[in-house]
Short mmCIF file of all heavy atoms in Angstrom, two decimals:
data_model
loop_
_atom_site.label_atom_id
_atom_site.label_comp_id
_atom_site.label_asym_id
_atom_site.label_seq_id
_atom_site.Cartn_x
_atom_site.Cartn_y
_atom_site.Cartn_z
N ARG A 7 90.86 105.95 92.98
CA ARG A 7 91.07 107.06 92.06
C ARG A 7 89.93 106.97 90.99
O ARG A 7 89.30 107.95 90.66
CB ARG A 7 92.46 107.11 91.48
CG ARG A 7 92.64 108.25 90.35
CD ARG A 7 93.82 108.00 89.63
NE ARG A 7 93.91 108.85 88.52
CZ ARG A 7 93.50 108.53 87.29
NH1 ARG A 7 92.88 107.31 87.09
NH2 ARG A 7 93.58 109.47 86.26
N ASN A 8 89.86 105.87 90.32
CA ASN A 8 88.97 105.71 89.17
C ASN A 8 87.50 105.75 89.43
O ASN A 8 86.65 105.97 88.44
CB ASN A 8 89.23 104.29 88.42
CG ASN A 8 90.56 104.33 87.63
OD1 ASN A 8 91.05 105.45 87.25
ND2 ASN A 8 91.21 103.26 87.56
N PHE A 9 87.01 105.70 90.77
CA PHE A 9 85.65 105.91 91.00
C PHE A 9 85.16 107.35 90.86
O PHE A 9 84.02 107.60 90.54
CB PHE A 9 85.48 105.41 92.44
CG PHE A 9 85.51 103.84 92.55
CD1 PHE A 9 86.68 103.31 93.10
CD2 PHE A 9 84.52 103.02 92.16
CE1 PHE A 9 86.74 101.97 93.28
CE2 PHE A 9 84.60 101.69 92.29
CZ PHE A 9 85.74 101.16 92.80
N ASP A 10 86.14 108.21 91.10
CA ASP A 10 85.80 109.76 90.86
C ASP A 10 87.20 110.52 90.64
O ASP A 10 87.70 110.88 91.77
CB ASP A 10 85.03 110.23 92.10
CG ASP A 10 84.45 111.70 91.70
OD1 ASP A 10 85.32 112.45 91.14
OD2 ASP A 10 83.38 111.98 92.08
N LYS A 11 87.70 110.57 89.50
CA LYS A 11 89.02 111.18 89.19
C LYS A 11 88.98 112.63 89.73
O LYS A 11 90.12 113.01 90.25
CB LYS A 11 89.41 111.03 87.84
CG LYS A 11 89.48 109.69 87.23
CD LYS A 11 89.93 109.59 85.72
CE LYS A 11 90.04 108.27 85.24
NZ LYS A 11 88.87 107.47 85.16
N GLY A 12 87.93 113.29 89.49
CA GLY A 12 88.08 114.74 89.96
C GLY A 12 88.24 114.84 91.43
O GLY A 12 88.88 115.78 91.90
N LEU A 13 87.60 113.98 92.13
CA LEU A 13 87.69 114.04 93.65
C LEU A 13 89.02 113.52 94.21
O LEU A 13 89.67 113.99 95.20
CB LEU A 13 86.50 113.26 94.30
CG LEU A 13 86.50 113.17 95.84
CD1 LEU A 13 86.55 114.57 96.48
CD2 LEU A 13 85.28 112.35 96.22
N PHE A 14 89.40 112.24 93.55
CA PHE A 14 90.44 111.53 94.17
C PHE A 14 91.86 111.69 93.68
O PHE A 14 92.91 111.40 94.29
CB PHE A 14 90.10 110.00 94.28
CG PHE A 14 88.98 109.67 95.17
CD1 PHE A 14 87.84 108.89 94.50
CD2 PHE A 14 89.03 109.97 96.48
CE1 PHE A 14 86.75 108.68 95.38
CE2 PHE A 14 87.89 109.64 97.28
CZ PHE A 14 86.75 108.94 96.68
N GLN A 15 91.91 112.20 92.36
CA GLN A 15 93.19 112.47 91.84
C GLN A 15 94.08 113.37 92.56
O GLN A 15 95.20 113.11 92.82
CB GLN A 15 92.96 112.90 90.34
CG GLN A 15 94.36 113.27 89.67
CD GLN A 15 95.13 111.97 89.32
OE1 GLN A 15 94.65 110.99 89.24
NE2 GLN A 15 96.39 112.21 89.12
N PRO A 16 93.47 114.67 92.99
CA PRO A 16 94.29 115.49 93.85
C PRO A 16 94.79 114.92 95.07
O PRO A 16 95.98 115.23 95.56
CB PRO A 16 93.34 116.66 94.14
CG PRO A 16 92.34 116.57 92.95
CD PRO A 16 92.20 115.11 92.70
N LYS A 17 93.98 114.04 95.70
CA LYS A 17 94.21 113.42 96.87
C LYS A 17 95.43 112.35 96.67
O LYS A 17 96.39 112.20 97.47
CB LYS A 17 93.09 112.78 97.63
CG LYS A 17 91.99 113.73 98.06
CD LYS A 17 90.74 113.00 98.56
CE LYS A 17 89.71 113.99 99.08
NZ LYS A 17 90.15 114.76 100.38
N LEU A 18 95.49 111.62 95.54
CA LEU A 18 96.46 110.73 95.18
C LEU A 18 97.80 111.59 95.11
O LEU A 18 98.85 111.16 95.47
CB LEU A 18 96.10 109.97 93.99
CG LEU A 18 97.21 109.14 93.37
CD1 LEU A 18 97.62 107.93 94.35
CD2 LEU A 18 96.73 108.41 92.05
N GLU A 19 97.64 112.67 94.27
CA GLU A 19 98.87 113.46 94.02
C GLU A 19 99.42 113.93 95.28
O GLU A 19 100.71 113.95 95.44
CB GLU A 19 98.47 114.52 93.01
CG GLU A 19 98.17 114.13 91.70
CD GLU A 19 97.70 115.15 90.81
OE1 GLU A 19 97.41 116.33 91.30
OE2 GLU A 19 97.39 114.95 89.58
N ALA A 20 98.70 114.31 96.27
CA ALA A 20 99.15 114.76 97.56
C ALA A 20 99.77 113.64 98.33
O ALA A 20 100.91 113.89 98.83
CB ALA A 20 98.04 115.28 98.45
N ALA A 21 99.31 112.55 98.28
CA ALA A 21 99.89 111.29 98.98
C ALA A 21 101.24 111.02 98.28
O ALA A 21 102.26 110.78 98.93
CB ALA A 21 98.98 110.10 98.95
N VAL A 22 101.35 111.01 96.95
CA VAL A 22 102.58 110.80 96.30
C VAL A 22 103.62 111.88 96.59
O VAL A 22 104.79 111.59 96.69
CB VAL A 22 102.30 110.67 94.66
CG1 VAL A 22 103.57 110.53 94.01
CG2 VAL A 22 101.41 109.48 94.47
N ALA A 23 103.15 113.13 96.53
CA ALA A 23 104.06 114.14 96.93
C ALA A 23 104.70 113.95 98.23
O ALA A 23 105.90 114.24 98.46
CB ALA A 23 103.33 115.54 96.78
N GLU A 24 103.95 113.54 99.21
CA GLU A 24 104.41 113.22 100.62
C GLU A 24 105.50 112.18 100.52
O GLU A 24 106.54 112.22 101.18
CB GLU A 24 103.33 112.87 101.45
CG GLU A 24 103.68 112.56 102.90
CD GLU A 24 104.05 113.84 103.63
OE1 GLU A 24 103.70 115.03 103.22
OE2 GLU A 24 104.74 113.71 104.74
N ALA A 25 105.19 111.09 99.83
CA ALA A 25 106.09 109.94 99.63
C ALA A 25 107.41 110.47 99.10
O ALA A 25 108.49 110.08 99.46
CB ALA A 25 105.57 108.82 98.81
N LEU A 26 107.35 111.35 97.95
CA LEU A 26 108.54 111.77 97.31
C LEU A 26 109.29 112.68 98.23
O LEU A 26 110.55 112.63 98.24
CB LEU A 26 108.11 112.53 96.02
CG LEU A 26 107.71 111.63 94.88
CD1 LEU A 26 107.03 112.50 93.79
CD2 LEU A 26 108.81 110.67 94.34
N ASN A 27 108.72 113.35 99.07
CA ASN A 27 109.31 114.32 99.86
C ASN A 27 110.02 113.66 101.06
O ASN A 27 111.23 113.85 101.49
CB ASN A 27 108.42 115.31 100.40
CG ASN A 27 109.00 116.23 101.42
OD1 ASN A 27 109.92 117.04 101.01
ND2 ASN A 27 108.44 116.54 102.56
N ARG A 28 109.33 112.69 101.65
CA ARG A 28 109.82 111.94 102.89
C ARG A 28 110.92 110.92 102.53
O ARG A 28 111.88 110.88 103.23
CB ARG A 28 108.59 111.32 103.55
CG ARG A 28 107.93 112.12 104.66
CD ARG A 28 106.92 111.41 105.43
NE ARG A 28 106.17 112.09 106.31
CZ ARG A 28 106.47 112.32 107.59
NH1 ARG A 28 107.57 111.66 108.10
NH2 ARG A 28 105.73 113.02 108.33
N TYR A 29 110.45 110.16 101.55
CA TYR A 29 111.34 108.94 101.27
C TYR A 29 111.48 108.75 99.77
O TYR A 29 111.06 107.90 99.16
CB TYR A 29 110.60 107.70 101.70
CG TYR A 29 110.35 107.58 103.23
CD1 TYR A 29 108.93 107.58 103.73
CD2 TYR A 29 111.32 107.79 104.21
CE1 TYR A 29 108.73 107.53 105.08
CE2 TYR A 29 111.03 107.71 105.61
CZ TYR A 29 109.81 107.58 106.03
OH TYR A 29 109.51 107.65 107.26
N PRO A 30 112.25 109.70 99.13
CA PRO A 30 112.55 109.65 97.76
C PRO A 30 113.30 108.33 97.37
O PRO A 30 114.21 107.86 98.22
CB PRO A 30 113.59 110.68 97.51
CG PRO A 30 114.04 111.16 98.84
CD PRO A 30 112.93 110.85 99.83
N GLY A 31 112.96 107.58 96.36
CA GLY A 31 113.53 106.36 96.04
C GLY A 31 112.85 105.12 96.72
O GLY A 31 113.37 103.99 96.52
N SER A 32 111.89 105.28 97.56
CA SER A 32 111.29 104.26 98.34
C SER A 32 110.28 103.59 97.56
O SER A 32 109.86 104.02 96.46
CB SER A 32 110.65 104.93 99.62
OG SER A 32 109.62 105.75 99.20
N TYR A 33 109.79 102.41 98.13
CA TYR A 33 108.67 101.66 97.45
C TYR A 33 107.49 102.58 97.40
O TYR A 33 106.67 102.46 96.52
CB TYR A 33 108.42 100.22 98.14
CG TYR A 33 107.32 99.56 97.61
CD1 TYR A 33 107.54 98.84 96.41
CD2 TYR A 33 106.08 99.58 98.13
CE1 TYR A 33 106.42 98.23 95.76
CE2 TYR A 33 105.00 98.97 97.51
CZ TYR A 33 105.15 98.18 96.32
OH TYR A 33 104.16 97.51 95.65
N GLU A 34 107.13 103.18 98.46
CA GLU A 34 106.01 104.18 98.53
C GLU A 34 105.97 105.15 97.32
O GLU A 34 105.01 105.31 96.71
CB GLU A 34 105.81 104.72 99.90
CG GLU A 34 105.73 103.87 101.08
CD GLU A 34 107.01 103.37 101.53
OE1 GLU A 34 108.11 104.06 101.66
OE2 GLU A 34 107.17 102.14 101.71
N ALA A 35 107.19 105.68 97.16
CA ALA A 35 107.25 106.68 96.12
C ALA A 35 107.13 106.08 94.73
O ALA A 35 106.49 106.58 93.77
CB ALA A 35 108.68 107.37 96.12
N ALA A 36 107.79 104.83 94.52
CA ALA A 36 107.70 104.10 93.34
C ALA A 36 106.21 103.70 92.97
O ALA A 36 105.74 103.89 91.83
CB ALA A 36 108.57 102.86 93.37
N LEU A 37 105.47 103.21 94.06
CA LEU A 37 104.15 102.91 93.98
C LEU A 37 103.35 103.97 93.50
O LEU A 37 102.43 103.97 92.59
CB LEU A 37 103.62 102.20 95.22
CG LEU A 37 102.20 101.73 95.25
CD1 LEU A 37 101.89 100.61 94.13
CD2 LEU A 37 101.86 101.24 96.59
N GLY A 38 103.47 105.15 94.17
CA GLY A 38 102.74 106.39 93.88
C GLY A 38 102.84 106.92 92.53
O GLY A 38 101.89 107.18 91.79
N GLU A 39 104.14 106.93 92.04
CA GLU A 39 104.44 107.35 90.69
C GLU A 39 103.81 106.30 89.71
O GLU A 39 103.39 106.83 88.57
CB GLU A 39 105.92 107.54 90.42
CG GLU A 39 106.40 108.78 91.24
CD GLU A 39 107.61 109.47 90.48
OE1 GLU A 39 107.19 109.97 89.43
OE2 GLU A 39 108.75 109.37 90.91
N ALA A 40 103.88 105.09 90.05
CA ALA A 40 103.37 104.05 89.17
C ALA A 40 101.77 104.33 88.94
O ALA A 40 101.20 104.21 87.82
CB ALA A 40 103.54 102.63 89.61
N TYR A 41 101.16 104.65 90.07
CA TYR A 41 99.68 104.98 89.99
C TYR A 41 99.41 106.15 89.21
O TYR A 41 98.49 106.16 88.25
CB TYR A 41 99.07 105.20 91.38
CG TYR A 41 98.69 103.96 92.16
CD1 TYR A 41 99.21 103.80 93.51
CD2 TYR A 41 97.75 103.07 91.62
CE1 TYR A 41 98.94 102.63 94.21
CE2 TYR A 41 97.42 101.98 92.31
CZ TYR A 41 97.99 101.77 93.69
OH TYR A 41 97.59 100.67 94.40
N LEU A 42 100.29 107.15 89.22
CA LEU A 42 100.02 108.38 88.39
C LEU A 42 100.27 108.03 86.96
O LEU A 42 99.56 108.43 86.03
CB LEU A 42 101.07 109.46 88.87
CG LEU A 42 100.80 110.03 90.23
CD1 LEU A 42 101.88 111.04 90.57
CD2 LEU A 42 99.44 110.61 90.39
N ILE A 43 101.27 107.24 86.62
CA ILE A 43 101.57 106.79 85.18
C ILE A 43 100.34 106.06 84.73
O ILE A 43 99.94 106.27 83.58
CB ILE A 43 102.82 106.11 85.16
CG1 ILE A 43 103.99 106.91 85.39
CG2 ILE A 43 103.02 105.50 83.73
CD1 ILE A 43 105.35 106.28 85.64
N VAL A 44 99.81 105.09 85.48
CA VAL A 44 98.59 104.31 84.97
C VAL A 44 97.55 105.23 84.63
O VAL A 44 96.88 105.07 83.58
CB VAL A 44 98.28 103.29 86.15
CG1 VAL A 44 96.88 102.76 85.75
CG2 VAL A 44 99.21 102.30 86.35
N GLY A 45 97.19 106.23 85.35
CA GLY A 45 96.18 107.10 85.12
C GLY A 45 96.47 108.07 83.84
O GLY A 45 95.57 108.38 83.19
#
């Protein structure tokens, strides 16, 4: 993400949305939301 926020931020958000939709409360969702908070 940090190499090009404009390019990769939307892709990160899409991956996190998939994690939240498929497996809410999972490690994948927790990790994804953590990345978003870091940003």
Side-chain angles (χ1 to χ4, degrees):
R7 173 191 174 275
N8 284 334
F9 290 102
D10 189 321
K11 295 181 178 67
L13 175 62
F14 294 124
Q15 178 70 21
K17 293 177 179 290
L18 173 60
E19 292 172 356
V22 176
E24 182 71 18
L26 290 168
N27 180 59
R28 270 184 184 268
Y29 302 117
S32 67
Y33 179 77
E34 299 79 49
L37 179 63
E39 290 213 71
Y41 276 126
L42 294 180
I43 293 171
V44 168

